[in-house]
Amino acid sequence: MESKVLIFLPTYNDYEVLNEIVCDIKQTLPLCDVVIVDDGSMVLFDAPREVFYVRLPFNLGLGVATHVAMDFALRHGYEYLIRMDADGQHSASYLSTILENLAAGNNIVVGTRTNRHKEKGGKNIFKKLVQYYFYVLAKITTSREIPTDLNSGFIGFDNRAVHVLNDLELDRFPEPQIVLYGAYLGLKIGEVDVLQQPRTRGVSTVVFSHAFRLVYRFTMYNFIIWTRKRLL
Amino acid sequence: MIWTKLAIVLFFFVTFVVLVRKRLLNIDLSFPWFLSLVIVAIGSTSPLFIQGTAKLFGIVYAPLVVILLVLFIYLGLITVLGIYITELRRRQILIVRKLAQYDLDKQVNCERNESG
């Protein structure tokens, strides 16, 4: 099964731990393939020989990087595609669990970060509120059970999910869009608990000011689905 | 009077729904323009905001600033619509995806050649 697995690492100016992540992945799943999609970083990266590496000419967002990985998975007949973050926050030890869940019949498996709200403070309360809003809104729109962590970047797809999602137009931060549209389009979505490692280098791409944009974007996705289902 | 106001609101709502439904209104690109519209709408209820902005831009007749700001925002929204109606961004993304596949296919072929 491993030889039909493609691990996708999207990156943007985040190279410090990429080699370590690739080593971890190769130790966990020695037969899988790894593709690094560089979303137009400022610095050039000398990719290890055992991975496929492509650099987009300019920054187009995570959605386009995901499409590139999906195109590659479809063209070369990979059975499963798993996306991990390139900042080292996702441990390769969970790859097997995600694969088992995909093999059990799920089309999409989300790695729900069980320790994502451990830190204290006003920022965390705000994050919790945003996440809860996402969850409730998505549940109402899709009328089905969905994963609790809609912003997780640790996601596995089977071939069918890749086919279905690659026909959509994924946006700059596509994680909630993927889960929401996946649920709407009738894909089977599972979730596994994962522990997110603390960030040691770099900064999050999602900062406080992005929260308003995320809420707007997610509300619009729900609005689009709602109009498709009921209005037009 | 109330019916005219309701009709205007309904017209804008239906236009908005159709644009969103047809994916002509990009969620990412339209965000700053809608946010600006909300800020101008709230700000224009305060004479302090209108007079301050008019002074900033050197406009003698202060209420004109609201019209000019809204026109500017509409111009931005029309540009966003133009990008999507002409499918400029979609085509640009398709080219990038094709080039990326070409690059990756070359690496796959190299790997196959090396492994015999």
Side-chain angles (χ1 to χ4, degrees):
Chain A
M1 188 171 78
E2 257 182 62
S3 59
K4 295 174 187 169
V5 178
L6 179 68
I7 311 293
F8 156 50
L9 297 167
T11 180
Y12 178 62
N13 292 334
D14 212 355
Y15 284 130
E16 283 132 328
V17 284
L18 257 181
N19 283 321
E20 287 169 41
I21 296 170
V22 172
C23 279
D24 282 351
I25 293 169
K26 286 288 180 187
Q27 270 171 7
T28 315
L29 302 172
L31 296 175
C32 75
D33 284 336
V34 180
V35 63
I36 298 173
V37 181
D38 178 343
D39 192 12
S41 294
M42 310 292 182
V43 282
L44 287 171
F45 171 63
D46 193 18
R49 277 183 66 81
E50 69 262 39
V51 303
F52 297 111
Y53 169 78
V54 67
R55 186 171 182 273
L56 304 185
F58 44 90
N59 184 257
L60 281 157
L62 203 44
V64 178
T66 308
H67 277 305
V68 169
M70 286 180 166
D71 288 338
F72 185 64
L74 289 174
R75 272 172 83 88
H76 297 281
Y78 289 99
E79 204 62 46
Y80 303 108
L81 172 72
I82 302 176
R83 191 203 123 179
M84 283 176 78
D85 280 354
D87 54 12
Q89 286 191 291
H90 298 150
S91 165
S93 58
Y94 295 108
L95 287 172
S96 313
T97 322
I98 289 182
L99 271 178
E100 279 163 21
N101 266 268
L102 286 168
N106 285 312
N107 302 115
I108 298 174
V109 174
V110 178
T112 295
R113 298 160 296 170
T114 48
N115 60 339
R116 66 189 186 280
H117 295 311
K118 285 287 181 258
E119 71 265 36
K120 290 190 172 98
K123 198 176 164 183
N124 198 38
I125 293 168
F126 183 70
K127 267 188 187 172
K128 267 187 197 171
L129 279 173
V130 170
Q131 293 252 340
Y132 189 68
Y133 170 73
F134 281 9
Y135 176 68
V136 171
L137 194 62
K139 225 175 150 180
I140 292 168
T141 307
T142 59
S143 320
R144 55 180 279 197
E145 204 53 56
I146 51 153
T148 44
D149 189 3
L150 292 173
N151 285 310
S152 174
F154 206 175
I155 316 178
F157 309 93
D158 75 349
N159 193 269
R160 188 179 162 225
V162 173
H163 258 290
V164 170
L165 295 169
N166 206 30
D167 284 340
L168 301 174
E169 197 181 307
L170 298 177
D171 284 319
R172 187 159 273 273
F173 295 99
E175 298 89 351
Q177 188 191 11
I178 285 172
V179 179
L180 192 66
Y181 276 81
Y184 168 62
L185 295 167
L187 297 174
K188 212 172 155 195
I189 303 174
E191 65 180 323
V192 295
D193 289 346
V194 299
L195 283 174
Q196 184 171 264
Q197 319 278 342
R199 185 186 291 276
T200 50
R201 294 174 184 92
V203 288
S204 171
T205 48
V206 180
V207 291
F208 194 67
S209 58
H210 276 156
F212 294 105
R213 187 174 273 232
L214 285 175
V215 168
Y216 168 74
R217 190 183 287 135
F218 193 71
T219 309
M220 291 290 279
Y221 294 144
N222 282 276
F223 184 66
I224 291 168
I225 290 178
W226 188 79
T227 56
R228 281 186 183 161
K229 276 169 84 176
R230 293 176 178 88
L231 266 185
L232 297 164
Chain B
M1 194 61 188
I2 186 87
W3 293 110
T4 321
K5 282 179 185 169
L6 269 176
I8 292 169
V9 170
L10 198 70
F11 170 74
F12 279 110
F13 180 72
V14 172
T15 314
F16 181 72
V17 170
V18 171
L19 289 175
V20 166
R21 169 72 176 77
K22 289 186 178 290
R23 296 283 284 175
L24 289 174
L25 202 64
N26 180 265
I27 293 170
D28 274 324
L29 295 179
S30 65
F31 175 75
W33 302 108
F34 279 120
L35 189 68
S36 315
L37 264 185
V38 171
I39 291 168
V40 169
I42 295 168
S44 61
T45 58
S46 147
L48 207 71
F49 171 84
I50 296 172
Q51 276 152 16
T53 320
K55 205 175 160 187
L56 189 79
F57 289 114
I59 296 166
V60 182
Y61 183 59
L64 205 63
V65 80
V66 178
I67 297 168
L68 291 173
L69 280 176
V70 170
L71 276 178
F72 173 71
I73 292 166
Y74 277 165
L75 199 70
L77 274 171
I78 289 166
T79 311
V80 171
L81 270 173
I83 291 171
Y84 274 80
I85 288 168
T86 57
E87 300 206 326
L88 263 179
R89 192 169 161 81
R90 215 163 283 162
R91 287 177 200 186
Q92 183 195 38
I93 288 170
L94 274 177
I95 292 169
V96 170
R97 279 169 69 177
K98 284 245 187 266
L99 287 173
Q101 287 320 300
Y102 178 71
D103 201 351
L104 287 168
D105 283 352
K106 257 191 349 192
Q107 292 173 39
V108 172
N109 290 337
C110 271
E111 198 192 60
R112 278 183 192 153
N113 288 342
E114 275 173 23
S115 60

